[in-house]
Amino acid sequence: MSAGTTPVPGPGARLLLSVARQYSRDRWWLATMAVGSVLAVGLAVLFALVASNGPEPAAPGTPGILSMALTGWSTLVAAAAVAAGLVAGSEWTSGRYVVSFTLTPRRARVVTAHVVAAAGCTAVAALPVGTVMVVAAQSVAGASSGGAGGSAALGWASASAVVLLGCLGAACGAASGAALAMAARSRVAGVLAVALLFFVLPPLAAAGGWRPELLPAAQWSQLGAAALMDGGWQLAVAAAAALAWPLLATVAAVVRTVRRDIA
Amino acid sequence: MIACSSVTKRYGRLTAVEGLDLEVPRGRIVGMIGPNAAGKTTTLGMMCGLIAPTAGGIRVNGLPPTRLPDPAGVVGTVLDAGAAPGGVAVSEFLEQVRLVAGAGRERLVRVVEELGLGPVAGSPFRACSLGSRRRVMLAAALLGRPQYLLLDEPLNGLDPTMVRWLAGYLRELADRDGVGVLLSSHLLDEQSRVCDAIVVMGSGRVLARGTLGDVLAAHRAPAVLVGTTPELLGPLASRLRADGWDVALRDGACVVAGGSPEALAREVLGAGYPLTRLERDVPSLQEAYFALTAGHEGLRSAGAPSGVDS
């Protein structure tokens, strides 16, 4: 290679760069992430102040403080998911898919690039905010427990769970956003999956229709709380819940988008 | 070369394209004309991989359109002048396309300059005029230095100056860069002026093909209009028929198929008839179009898809 020649990335990398640029240059996505980050941190700070200055500062305990702090973070991830969906949706609502699919006739690559770019951009924005909030919540919990560091420590297992959930949340949001935007059937599949997992199964479980050991599955919709449960299988349940419905919708959308004639 | 071989596309019971054989060689402009629902857009969609043929094969440089290793460098397509996000600046949209196409920045600068997009580069796409939008989409198609261009109605809605400029630019691309162009358009004058070959479609089938001369000849042979005084028109026609000419009467003149003006002038004057009119009657593409597509104008809208969600 001659000096000064810039190697040209492969088609897949170029496509991903282009799609990621769509996200990073979309003013609505950027605004949503900025506002969402402020809200998420604000919620954590507010809770930290309330928890540290209240009449019973240590009452919620470390898991409770972290769980409530993560509520703000999950709000951020949800907002990012919606914004990512809008960005992906603009591909279809603007008619741009005609250009995208003629430049890249292997449509699965376009869909994959959107999912990866949305998940990546969301994770890049959400993980630092989540880290800040976890550290802040940890400090508050440590202060409220009178400096007993052992009880305030998040621990590697829980920290890993939080990070994993963050990634799952980002993937969940990105996949759902892309799926929602792609085809009518995917929207139907997504809505049905959400209704089944979040509104049908939990009440059934709560009504005692299931074996008692499966009752924690009713907490599928509370991913932040599930992450801090003892044991490992609850996390798997949470992960399955986080991925199941967007995966269903995404599969429907991808099959529809890849196979459909576009005229 | 882009080659369609016995390509058929059906939507349920509706046959949009049937048994299509078509070739687009490099450096040539092939015009595709036909009434609405003739199958032109479906053909273009199949050529760029947006629509899967029901039968037959399409090869672009020997490969199916969906298997090209570097599609943007082989086929540039403009199917819809509005296929860009309205709120995104033209320069940003083209930059995103440039990334996918793997083109350098100098290529982007050159294309923007050639297509005169500098003044609108910073404007959102929705603020652009129709002419500018068409040029933006053409720029997007050209960024990858494609060997072929597939253009669906690129001249529609443009003012005469822009039509003339775009037709000239396509000619330049074909002659200078060896780009093969498939140009679908209803503007028959421009088609006849710029295209090397014409394909007339109707009801999903090819009705005529070839050079402009071939298509016109398939419609009817050039003729000569011979006029004389009204009372002598009938006797002149009889005289010419008796001499073996194919003569019809139309618009107060004898229409003599296949004759040369000089020979006919000699014959008419030699026979003592006054000659009041003598002119070539060359069929126009428009005349051939109407004749060839008669009976194929019916709108066959039922069942055809209009997008991903439809």
Side-chain angles (χ1 to χ4, degrees):
Chain A
M1 182 186 299
S2 62
T5 301
T6 306
V8 179
R14 298 195 314 246
L15 174 64
L16 185 57
L17 279 175
S18 176
V19 174
R21 186 181 172 98
Q22 287 182 41
Y23 285 82
S24 65
R25 297 300 175 97
D26 187 276
R27 69 184 73 166
W28 291 107
W29 193 87
L30 292 173
T32 303
M33 294 308 295
V35 172
S37 299
V38 170
L39 284 177
V41 174
L43 280 174
V45 170
L46 181 64
F47 178 73
L49 291 174
V50 171
S52 60
N53 297 325
E56 296 179 6
T62 304
I65 292 173
L66 286 173
S67 177
M68 294 187 71
L70 287 174
T71 302
W73 185 51
S74 60
T75 304
L76 169 63
V77 173
V82 173
L86 290 176
V87 176
S90 70
E91 180 90 29
W92 279 262
T93 55
S94 69
R96 185 195 167 115
Y97 62 88
V98 174
V99 174
S100 298
F101 291 155
T102 49
L103 285 170
T104 310
R106 297 178 187 187
R107 300 179 204 169
R109 288 186 178 181
V110 178
V111 175
T112 304
H114 266 283
V115 172
V116 172
C121 290
T122 303
V124 164
L127 286 180
V129 176
T131 304
V132 168
M133 287 190 298
V134 167
V135 171
Q138 222 178 341
S139 303
V140 171
S144 63
S145 63
S151 62
L154 184 60
W156 281 110
S158 297
S160 302
V162 169
V163 171
L164 179 57
L165 270 181
C167 295
L168 287 174
C172 174
S176 60
L180 287 172
M182 278 187 278
R185 289 182 188 177
S186 73
R187 296 182 191 122
V188 173
V191 169
L192 288 178
V194 169
L196 181 69
L197 290 171
F198 292 164
F199 297 104
V200 176
L201 294 182
L204 282 178
W210 289 4
R211 293 167 60 87
E213 60 268 28
L214 295 181
L215 284 179
Q219 298 179 350
W220 279 358
S221 60
Q222 301 173 26
L223 298 181
L228 299 167
M229 291 175 183
D230 292 332
W233 69 273
Q234 291 93 340
L235 185 58
V237 169
L243 285 176
W245 75 267
L247 277 182
L248 278 175
T250 302
V251 168
V254 168
V255 170
R256 182 83 171 155
T257 302
V258 169
R259 297 186 58 180
R260 173 81 173 173
D261 285 335
I262 296 173
Chain B
M1 174 181 290
I2 300 179
C4 301
S5 175
S6 303
V7 171
T8 294
K9 179 62 187 180
R10 294 191 186 91
Y11 297 105
R13 288 186 299 176
L14 174 72
T15 301
V17 174
E18 185 171 16
L20 175 73
D21 292 310
L22 177 63
E23 291 182 348
V24 182
R26 292 200 62 183
R28 306 267 290 174
I29 301 179
V30 178
M32 188 160 55
I33 61 177
N36 291 330
K40 305 186 299 294
T41 300
T42 301
T43 299
L44 289 167
M46 289 191 288
M47 284 180 160
C48 65
L50 289 179
I51 298 173
T54 306
I58 296 176
R59 292 289 183 273
V60 180
N61 291 345
L63 293 172
T66 54
R67 295 293 169 202
L68 293 171
D70 179 23
V74 181
V75 180
T77 309
V78 180
L79 294 183
D80 183 356
V88 175
V90 167
S91 57
E92 175 60 26
F93 172 69
L94 291 177
E95 176 65 16
Q96 291 171 10
V97 173
R98 182 190 74 79
L99 284 172
V100 180
R105 289 190 187 281
E106 72 286 350
R107 174 66 179 165
L108 175 60
V109 170
R110 179 175 176 186
V111 169
V112 166
E113 186 180 313
E114 278 190 356
L115 295 180
L117 291 171
V120 299
S123 305
F125 189 74
R126 72 163 71 93
C128 294
S129 65
L130 179 60
S132 295
R133 291 183 187 196
R134 291 205 186 281
R135 281 181 290 148
V136 170
M137 302 314 295
L138 182 58
L142 287 172
L143 280 173
R145 296 178 189 273
Q147 300 168 14
Y148 307 96
L149 272 179
L150 306 177
L151 308 175
D152 191 18
E153 310 286 0
L155 308 174
N156 279 12
L158 302 183
D159 63 56
T161 306
M162 186 67 72
V163 167
R164 181 63 56 87
W165 174 85
L166 188 51
Y169 184 66
L170 294 178
R171 184 75 263 169
E172 187 182 336
L173 285 174
D175 295 341
R176 181 191 67 191
D177 301 335
V179 176
V181 181
L182 181 57
L183 174 65
S184 166
S185 174
H186 287 125
L187 297 186
L188 303 181
D189 282 348
E190 290 305 321
Q191 291 267 31
S192 61
R193 189 171 299 130
V194 77
C195 292
D196 300 302
I198 300 284
V199 174
V200 184
M201 292 188 70
S203 302
R205 294 191 297 274
V206 173
L207 304 175
R209 74 171 79 229
T211 64
L212 179 62
D214 293 338
V215 171
L216 298 183
H219 165 52
R220 69 171 171 82
V224 177
L225 297 177
V226 180
T228 186
T229 55
E231 66 275 12
L232 294 176
L233 195 61
L236 175 59
S238 300
R239 170 66 189 263
L240 291 173
R241 287 192 189 106
D243 289 345
W245 295 100
D246 179 6
V247 182
L249 289 174
R250 193 181 77 204
D251 299 334
C254 294
V255 182
V256 185
S260 77
E262 296 77 12
L264 284 164
R266 278 196 302 272
E267 180 154 351
V268 170
L269 293 172
Y273 289 90
L275 187 60
T276 60
R277 184 180 181 189
L278 183 69
E279 60 186 83
R280 291 181 188 277
D281 180 24
V282 179
S284 67
L285 182 56
Q286 180 168 312
E287 183 186 335
Y289 171 87
F290 284 126
L292 288 166
T293 60
H296 297 279
E297 311 91 338
L299 297 177
R300 300 172 299 124
S301 59
S306 59
V308 170
D309 273 1
S310 63

